[in-house]
Amino acid sequence: MNIFLAAPHFEYPPIKTEDRYLFTRYTRLKNLDQVTIIGKKKVFFFKEGELVSSYTYTRKGKISDKLLPVLRSLLLRKNYLYEKQNFSKDFLNEYKSLLNKYKPNVIVLSYIYLYIYLTKNNLLKDNYNYLCERHNDDKNWFLSLKYKIKFKYKFI
């Protein structure tokens, strides 16, 4: 069984709490063929908690991760917190490429904002099993922004 973890904040070795949580929870599962994590700038492949390989998928020389959301929120007159969670085209392209290449059994989305982003871009397919980690009640936070999004899947 293969697990694909989409976590646009993930960096290895995991230092931040959110990264340590996902790393501990998913990479150490037994009887898995592979755990693939698409992170902030790299893709990681794990087997039984050990890093097998990784590669960088982002281009160098890009605008700062903090500056781009500020500029987008000012220019587009959008909510800064939403723009902060908007993902790069590199992430989106790598996500599609990895899904087509590895065809995982389970796709884990690290935050609900990723679920919303993938839904808006029609990238959630019914033939996959999805698990969306929810942190700090972010479903209610996003609903309070009043973006028009219909949640297709049930929350447990």
Side-chain angles (χ1 to χ4, degrees), residues 112 115 132-134 138-139 151-156:
I112 201 160
Y115 169 80
C132 183
E133 291 287 348
R134 292 180 14 202
D138 50 6
K139 178 183 178 218
F151 290 96
K152 180 178 179 181
Y153 301 99
K154 293 184 180 179
F155 291 94
I156 51 175

Side-chain angles (χ1 to χ4, degrees), residues 121-133:
N121 288 285
N122 296 319
L123 293 174
L124 296 180
K125 308 293 182 212
D126 288 335
N127 57 337
Y128 289 110
N129 296 308
Y130 292 97
L131 174 65
C132 183
E133 291 287 348

Side-chain angles (χ1 to χ4, degrees), residues 57-146:
Y57 68 87
T58 58
R59 294 169 291 194
K60 294 186 178 182
K62 297 183 86 171
I63 297 176
S64 161
D65 293 338
K66 294 184 180 182
L67 179 60
L68 189 59
V70 170
L71 293 174
R72 288 180 58 90
S73 64
L74 287 172
L75 294 173
L76 301 174
R77 296 179 182 243
K78 297 252 182 162
N79 184 298
Y80 167 73
L81 293 174
Y82 178 78
E83 290 301 323
K84 180 179 168 190
Q85 309 305 341
N86 215 340
F87 309 101
S88 70
K89 292 203 186 301
D90 290 341
F91 180 88
L92 185 61
N93 291 335
E94 194 64 26
Y95 173 86
K96 291 189 285 188
S97 171
L98 289 169
L99 281 186
N100 290 332
K101 185 175 182 180
Y102 293 106
K103 308 237 185 284
N105 303 90
V106 177
I107 298 172
V108 179
L109 307 175
S110 66
Y111 280 94
I112 201 160
Y113 59 75
L114 180 57
Y115 169 80
I116 291 169
Y117 180 77
L118 295 175
T119 300
K120 284 185 171 189
N121 288 285
N122 296 319
L123 293 174
L124 296 180
K125 308 293 182 212
D126 288 335
N127 57 337
Y128 289 110
N129 296 308
Y130 292 97
L131 174 65
C132 183
E133 291 287 348
R134 292 180 14 202
H135 307 274
N136 299 328
D137 203 25
D138 50 6
K139 178 183 178 218
N140 290 334
W141 182 81
F142 256 96
L143 290 174
S144 72
L145 292 176
K146 304 201 180 342

